[in-house]
Amino acid sequence: MSAEPVIFVVDDDEAVGRALKSAGKLLGRPIRAFTSAAGFLAAYADEPGCLVLDVRMPGVTGLELQRKLADDGLTIPIVMISGHADVRIAVEAMTLGAVTLLEKPFRLDELLTHVRKALEKDAAARAARQSASDASARLAALTAKEREVLDLIATGKTNREMAEDLGLSVRAVEDRRARLMKKVNAGSVAELVKLLTEGVP
């Protein structure tokens, strides 16, 4: 799997695929072009990047491919392109999460603008998923008793109030609190609450 974002292109018109390589060169990103949805599905493995996708193709259409990706939980941002767009197609594409729908022929600068947005959207989504995964892993390291204290901290309770709720001494609560802060590498209550927010699905 490549870590470098790729601009994937699926269009049965090979000339369009070749023309779109200009976009990749201008953005400094690699392009991988496919002439069918089936070819793309056989090769794609949830890699970073975005997809420039033609609506009308023989076999699996662009909208069908978009639905298949959504059903499989693959959230690669999609810039739809079409020479036969209408309101119904536009609405369906946008409802399924397309970044935009461009009508052929489109200007290269217009495509570049939307491809940049799609790449930024993918990078942000992947970063958010990584943060959530890291937060979950850090929270999973806590014991049940430390997690009790964490949940009470999140409600804004003081050490004394937590001690009363848990039937512990204030010192015992302070010890648990210090241990859990160290385990999750949090320097403040604000960091702790942020971690808790990120780590809860």
Side-chain angles (χ1 to χ4, degrees), residues 34-136:
F34 300 86
T35 56
S36 71
F40 170 76
L41 285 170
Y44 182 65
D46 196 18
E47 295 148 271
C50 71
L51 172 60
V52 179
L53 177 61
D54 189 29
V55 171
R56 184 174 290 186
M57 295 183 291
V60 179
T61 68
L63 289 173
E64 288 169 342
L65 173 58
Q66 190 181 17
R67 270 188 234 107
K68 165 78 174 155
L69 291 171
D71 289 346
D72 290 348
L74 297 170
T75 57
I76 183 170
I78 298 173
V79 175
M80 300 292 284
I81 57 176
S82 178
H84 310 278
D86 58 26
V87 173
R88 182 192 64 77
I89 289 173
V91 168
E92 186 168 357
M94 300 307 285
T95 301
L96 288 168
V99 173
T100 193
L101 171 64
L102 297 177
E103 285 191 72
K104 297 178 184 176
F106 45 77
R107 298 192 318 272
L108 182 58
D109 63 339
E110 190 178 16
L111 174 68
L112 290 176
T113 296
H114 291 290
V115 166
R116 280 193 192 95
K117 284 182 186 173
L119 290 171
E120 289 169 3
K121 183 178 179 181
D122 184 61
R126 288 177 186 278
R129 288 199 295 271
Q130 186 61 54
S131 289
S133 175
D134 292 345
S136 293

Side-chain angles (χ1 to χ4, degrees), residues 152 160-170 172-173 176:
L152 290 172
R160 182 167 299 283
E161 290 169 331
M162 287 189 274
E164 289 172 3
D165 285 357
L166 298 173
L168 298 171
S169 67
V170 173
V173 169
R176 283 189 194 176

